[in-house]
mmCIF file of all heavy atoms in Angstrom:
data_model
loop_
_atom_site.group_PDB
_atom_site.id
_atom_site.type_symbol
_atom_site.label_atom_id
_atom_site.label_comp_id
_atom_site.label_asym_id
_atom_site.label_seq_id
_atom_site.Cartn_x
_atom_site.Cartn_y
_atom_site.Cartn_z
ATOM 1 N N GLU A 198 166.573 73.238 22.003
ATOM 2 C CA GLU A 198 167.154 73.851 20.815
ATOM 3 C C GLU A 198 167.561 72.737 19.858
ATOM 4 O O GLU A 198 167.711 71.571 20.264
ATOM 5 C CB GLU A 198 168.380 74.693 21.183
ATOM 6 C CG GLU A 198 168.109 75.827 22.157
ATOM 7 C CD GLU A 198 167.304 76.955 21.513
ATOM 8 O OE1 GLU A 198 167.326 77.060 20.277
ATOM 9 O OE2 GLU A 198 166.659 77.712 22.266
ATOM 10 N N VAL A 199 167.760 73.071 18.590
ATOM 11 C CA VAL A 199 168.234 72.072 17.626
ATOM 12 C C VAL A 199 169.599 71.568 18.090
ATOM 13 O O VAL A 199 170.520 72.359 18.302
ATOM 14 C CB VAL A 199 168.335 72.669 16.211
ATOM 15 C CG1 VAL A 199 169.036 71.695 15.267
ATOM 16 C CG2 VAL A 199 166.951 73.012 15.692
ATOM 17 N N PRO A 200 169.753 70.258 18.293
ATOM 18 C CA PRO A 200 171.021 69.718 18.806
ATOM 19 C C PRO A 200 172.154 69.859 17.787
ATOM 20 O O PRO A 200 171.937 69.763 16.579
ATOM 21 C CB PRO A 200 170.700 68.251 19.069
ATOM 22 C CG PRO A 200 169.524 67.943 18.197
ATOM 23 C CD PRO A 200 168.737 69.202 18.109
ATOM 24 N N THR A 201 173.344 70.067 18.292
ATOM 25 C CA THR A 201 174.519 70.222 17.423
ATOM 26 C C THR A 201 175.559 69.138 17.656
ATOM 27 O O THR A 201 176.584 69.110 16.973
ATOM 28 C CB THR A 201 175.171 71.600 17.645
ATOM 29 O OG1 THR A 201 175.525 71.732 19.030
ATOM 30 C CG2 THR A 201 174.218 72.721 17.251
ATOM 31 N N THR A 202 175.320 68.240 18.606
ATOM 32 C CA THR A 202 176.198 67.090 18.836
ATOM 33 C C THR A 202 175.331 65.849 19.030
ATOM 34 O O THR A 202 174.140 65.939 19.319
ATOM 35 C CB THR A 202 177.083 67.270 20.085
ATOM 36 O OG1 THR A 202 176.247 67.278 21.249
ATOM 37 C CG2 THR A 202 177.899 68.557 20.012
ATOM 38 N N MET A 203 175.950 64.693 18.904
ATOM 39 C CA MET A 203 175.224 63.443 19.099
ATOM 40 C C MET A 203 174.689 63.340 20.522
ATOM 41 O O MET A 203 173.555 62.907 20.748
ATOM 42 C CB MET A 203 176.133 62.244 18.790
ATOM 43 C CG MET A 203 175.472 60.891 18.977
ATOM 44 S SD MET A 203 174.049 60.626 17.871
ATOM 45 C CE MET A 203 174.909 60.313 16.307
ATOM 46 N N GLU A 204 175.475 63.747 21.503
ATOM 47 C CA GLU A 204 175.025 63.693 22.894
ATOM 48 C C GLU A 204 173.781 64.544 23.099
ATOM 49 O O GLU A 204 172.817 64.109 23.751
ATOM 50 C CB GLU A 204 176.143 64.164 23.820
ATOM 51 C CG GLU A 204 175.773 64.104 25.299
ATOM 52 C CD GLU A 204 176.888 64.579 26.208
ATOM 53 O OE1 GLU A 204 177.898 65.118 25.685
ATOM 54 O OE2 GLU A 204 176.757 64.423 27.442
ATOM 55 N N GLN A 205 173.778 65.753 22.533
ATOM 56 C CA GLN A 205 172.611 66.623 22.649
ATOM 57 C C GLN A 205 171.400 66.007 21.954
ATOM 58 O O GLN A 205 170.271 66.107 22.447
ATOM 59 C CB GLN A 205 172.918 67.994 22.053
ATOM 60 C CG GLN A 205 173.914 68.822 22.831
ATOM 61 C CD GLN A 205 174.225 70.143 22.140
ATOM 62 O OE1 GLN A 205 173.597 70.505 21.135
ATOM 63 N NE2 GLN A 205 175.205 70.866 22.671
ATOM 64 N N PHE A 206 171.633 65.356 20.825
ATOM 65 C CA PHE A 206 170.531 64.731 20.086
ATOM 66 C C PHE A 206 169.872 63.629 20.918
ATOM 67 O O PHE A 206 168.638 63.572 21.039
ATOM 68 C CB PHE A 206 171.030 64.152 18.759
ATOM 69 C CG PHE A 206 169.992 63.326 18.044
ATOM 70 C CD1 PHE A 206 169.002 63.928 17.292
ATOM 71 C CD2 PHE A 206 169.992 61.940 18.154
ATOM 72 C CE1 PHE A 206 168.020 63.171 16.655
ATOM 73 C CE2 PHE A 206 169.022 61.174 17.519
ATOM 74 C CZ PHE A 206 168.036 61.793 16.775
ATOM 75 N N VAL A 207 170.689 62.751 21.488
ATOM 76 C CA VAL A 207 170.148 61.642 22.280
ATOM 77 C C VAL A 207 169.415 62.182 23.502
ATOM 78 O O VAL A 207 168.319 61.721 23.846
ATOM 79 C CB VAL A 207 171.268 60.672 22.683
ATOM 80 C CG1 VAL A 207 170.732 59.595 23.627
ATOM 81 C CG2 VAL A 207 171.878 60.028 21.443
ATOM 82 N N ASP A 208 170.005 63.175 24.156
ATOM 83 C CA ASP A 208 169.350 63.762 25.330
ATOM 84 C C ASP A 208 168.001 64.380 24.949
ATOM 85 O O ASP A 208 167.012 64.253 25.690
ATOM 86 C CB ASP A 208 170.248 64.828 25.957
ATOM 87 C CG ASP A 208 171.442 64.225 26.695
ATOM 88 O OD1 ASP A 208 171.418 63.011 26.958
ATOM 89 O OD2 ASP A 208 172.391 64.977 26.987
ATOM 90 N N ALA A 209 167.945 65.048 23.788
ATOM 91 C CA ALA A 209 166.693 65.658 23.330
ATOM 92 C C ALA A 209 165.647 64.588 23.047
ATOM 93 O O ALA A 209 164.460 64.750 23.380
ATOM 94 C CB ALA A 209 166.936 66.495 22.079
ATOM 95 N N ALA A 210 166.068 63.476 22.452
ATOM 96 C CA ALA A 210 165.140 62.379 22.159
ATOM 97 C C ALA A 210 164.548 61.805 23.434
ATOM 98 O O ALA A 210 163.339 61.543 23.524
ATOM 99 C CB ALA A 210 165.858 61.292 21.365
ATOM 100 N N VAL A 211 165.392 61.611 24.443
ATOM 101 C CA VAL A 211 164.924 61.078 25.717
ATOM 102 C C VAL A 211 163.994 62.067 26.409
ATOM 103 O O VAL A 211 162.942 61.693 26.955
ATOM 104 C CB VAL A 211 166.123 60.730 26.623
ATOM 105 C CG1 VAL A 211 165.642 60.325 28.017
ATOM 106 C CG2 VAL A 211 166.961 59.610 26.003
ATOM 107 N N THR A 212 164.350 63.348 26.363
ATOM 108 C CA THR A 212 163.512 64.382 26.990
ATOM 109 C C THR A 212 162.132 64.433 26.356
ATOM 110 O O THR A 212 161.105 64.516 27.049
ATOM 111 C CB THR A 212 164.191 65.760 26.876
ATOM 112 O OG1 THR A 212 165.403 65.741 27.626
ATOM 113 C CG2 THR A 212 163.291 66.862 27.411
ATOM 114 N N LEU A 213 162.071 64.387 25.038
ATOM 115 C CA LEU A 213 160.787 64.419 24.342
ATOM 116 C C LEU A 213 159.923 63.226 24.740
ATOM 117 O O LEU A 213 158.708 63.357 24.936
ATOM 118 C CB LEU A 213 161.002 64.431 22.825
ATOM 119 C CG LEU A 213 161.508 65.735 22.217
ATOM 120 C CD1 LEU A 213 161.950 65.512 20.769
ATOM 121 C CD2 LEU A 213 160.417 66.806 22.264
ATOM 122 N N LYS A 214 160.537 62.068 24.841
ATOM 123 C CA LYS A 214 159.810 60.863 25.247
ATOM 124 C C LYS A 214 159.247 61.042 26.662
ATOM 125 O O LYS A 214 158.070 60.737 26.926
ATOM 126 C CB LYS A 214 160.739 59.653 25.189
ATOM 127 C CG LYS A 214 160.138 58.343 25.687
ATOM 128 C CD LYS A 214 159.060 57.809 24.774
ATOM 129 C CE LYS A 214 158.658 56.394 25.178
ATOM 130 N NZ LYS A 214 157.506 55.894 24.405
ATOM 131 N N GLN A 215 160.060 61.552 27.558
ATOM 132 C CA GLN A 215 159.628 61.741 28.942
ATOM 133 C C GLN A 215 158.521 62.788 29.062
ATOM 134 O O GLN A 215 157.566 62.608 29.822
ATOM 135 C CB GLN A 215 160.824 62.147 29.803
ATOM 136 C CG GLN A 215 161.872 61.055 29.958
ATOM 137 C CD GLN A 215 163.129 61.533 30.665
ATOM 138 O OE1 GLN A 215 163.369 62.743 30.770
ATOM 139 N NE2 GLN A 215 163.944 60.598 31.133
ATOM 140 N N ASP A 216 158.657 63.867 28.288
ATOM 141 C CA ASP A 216 157.683 64.958 28.375
ATOM 142 C C ASP A 216 156.351 64.624 27.724
ATOM 143 O O ASP A 216 155.379 65.378 27.859
ATOM 144 C CB ASP A 216 158.256 66.229 27.732
ATOM 145 C CG ASP A 216 159.372 66.843 28.566
ATOM 146 O OD1 ASP A 216 159.591 66.372 29.697
ATOM 147 O OD2 ASP A 216 160.040 67.782 28.076
ATOM 148 N N ASN A 217 156.309 63.524 26.972
ATOM 149 C CA ASN A 217 155.054 63.103 26.327
ATOM 150 C C ASN A 217 154.675 61.693 26.774
ATOM 151 O O ASN A 217 154.116 60.912 26.002
ATOM 152 C CB ASN A 217 155.206 63.170 24.802
ATOM 153 C CG ASN A 217 155.352 64.587 24.291
ATOM 154 O OD1 ASN A 217 154.363 65.267 24.022
ATOM 155 N ND2 ASN A 217 156.591 65.045 24.151
ATOM 156 N N ALA A 218 154.969 61.402 28.040
ATOM 157 C CA ALA A 218 154.747 60.053 28.577
ATOM 158 C C ALA A 218 153.272 59.662 28.589
ATOM 159 O O ALA A 218 152.937 58.477 28.679
ATOM 160 C CB ALA A 218 155.324 59.963 29.997
ATOM 161 N N GLY A 219 152.370 60.637 28.487
ATOM 162 C CA GLY A 219 150.947 60.326 28.458
ATOM 163 C C GLY A 219 150.514 59.579 27.215
ATOM 164 O O GLY A 219 149.452 58.955 27.191
ATOM 165 N N ASN A 220 151.336 59.621 26.168
ATOM 166 C CA ASN A 220 151.056 58.899 24.925
ATOM 167 C C ASN A 220 151.978 57.686 24.885
ATOM 168 O O ASN A 220 153.179 57.809 24.645
ATOM 169 C CB ASN A 220 151.302 59.819 23.718
ATOM 170 C CG ASN A 220 151.065 59.124 22.389
ATOM 171 O OD1 ASN A 220 150.816 57.920 22.326
ATOM 172 N ND2 ASN A 220 151.159 59.884 21.305
#
Side-chain angles (χ1 to χ4, degrees):
E198 300 289 338
V199 171
T201 58
T202 66
M203 179 62 75
E204 182 180 9
Q205 291 177 7
F206 172 81
V207 174
D208 287 345
V211 173
T212 295
L213 287 168
K214 176 69 170 174
Q215 293 173 343
D216 289 352
N217 292 273
N220 179 354

